[in-house]
Amino acid sequence: IGTTAAVGARNVTVTSIANGPSNILTGAFTVVAPTLVSIDPSTGLRGTTVALTLTGTNLAGATGVTVSGTGVLCTIAGTPTATTVNANCAVGIGAGLTARSITVTSTTNGPSNILASAFTVVAPSLTAVSPSSGSRGTTVALTLTGTNLAGATAVTVAGGGVTCTITGTPTATTVTANCTIGLAAALGARNVTVTTTTNGSSNVLLGAFTVLL
């Protein structure tokens, strides 16, 4: 059975030179392929290597795991079984923040089905800043909350005139920073981001901090 043979039920006949063909036995033989059913975990943080477990059928002999798009490269770990493939998937710091499709490939048995939107690349996420305002000429102790913030190296308030320095050790959910507001800083709402060396930048939290008189 060729690696590119169409999957599905086939009809079967027997032919005799002397007596001609037999009847057609409808759907008597089915071509199957590797089938991918699920993966765990279903998300991966930029800048990390994720240990994936992929489950399905006919997966023995798998030679590759492919995540669609760019920025995610997988290497099979251990020996695949009929029902399980383990793979280490490196998520690049610049990988797009989108849901990705996954396939398993076998040199001898061809590719599996495409498991659509099975894996999502995520990044540091900033959800709140407290306090949300500060006056010119002061230093404000900010607490920034969100997810995947561990390893944060910088807090940026857009627009100039506000300089932040991280204090303490960031956790997965919290970053604290002292932000000095210059006397000439423009008044108004500012966007805020958190940057990590290994996992990239967070989303931009629009209008999260306001400079006051």
Side-chain angles (χ1 to χ4, degrees):
I1 303 172
T3 58
T4 59
V7 174
R10 307 290 188 93
N11 301 335
V12 179
T13 58
V14 174
T15 301
S16 166
I17 294 175
N19 301 317
S22 71
N23 60 306
I24 298 172
L25 197 58
T26 304
F29 184 80
T30 300
V31 175
V32 297
T35 300
L36 185 57
V37 175
S38 66
I39 70 162
D40 184 58
S42 60
T43 62
L45 179 63
R46 279 176 169 174
T48 65
T49 296
V50 183
L52 287 187
T53 299
L54 305 96
T55 57
T57 58
N58 302 311
L59 300 178
T63 53
V65 172
T66 302
V67 178
S68 66
T70 60
V72 183
L73 298 176
C74 298
T75 303
I76 289 178
T79 302
T81 70
T83 59
T84 305
V85 177
N86 295 310
N88 293 324
C89 297
V91 184
I93 196 168
L97 301 176
T98 57
R100 311 291 186 95
S101 300
I102 295 188
T103 56
V104 173
T105 302
S106 166
T107 301
T108 55
N109 301 321
S112 73
N113 57 305
I114 298 171
L115 199 60
S117 302
F119 184 79
T120 301
V121 175
V122 298
S125 177
L126 183 59
T127 56
V129 175
S130 179
S132 60
S133 63
S135 298
R136 284 172 169 172
T138 64
T139 296
V140 182
L142 290 188
T143 299
L144 305 97
T145 55
T147 58
N148 301 312
L149 300 178
T153 53
V155 171
T156 302
V157 177
V162 181
T163 303
C164 297
T165 303
I166 289 177
T167 58
T169 301
T171 69
T173 58
T174 305
V175 178
T176 56
N178 289 331
C179 296
T180 300
I181 305 171
L183 291 172
L187 303 178
R190 308 289 189 90
N191 300 336
V192 179
T193 57
V194 173
T195 301
T196 75
T197 300
T198 55
N199 303 321
S201 297
S202 73
N203 57 304
V204 177
L205 198 58
L206 300 175
F209 186 78
T210 300
V211 176
L212 307 173
L213 279 172

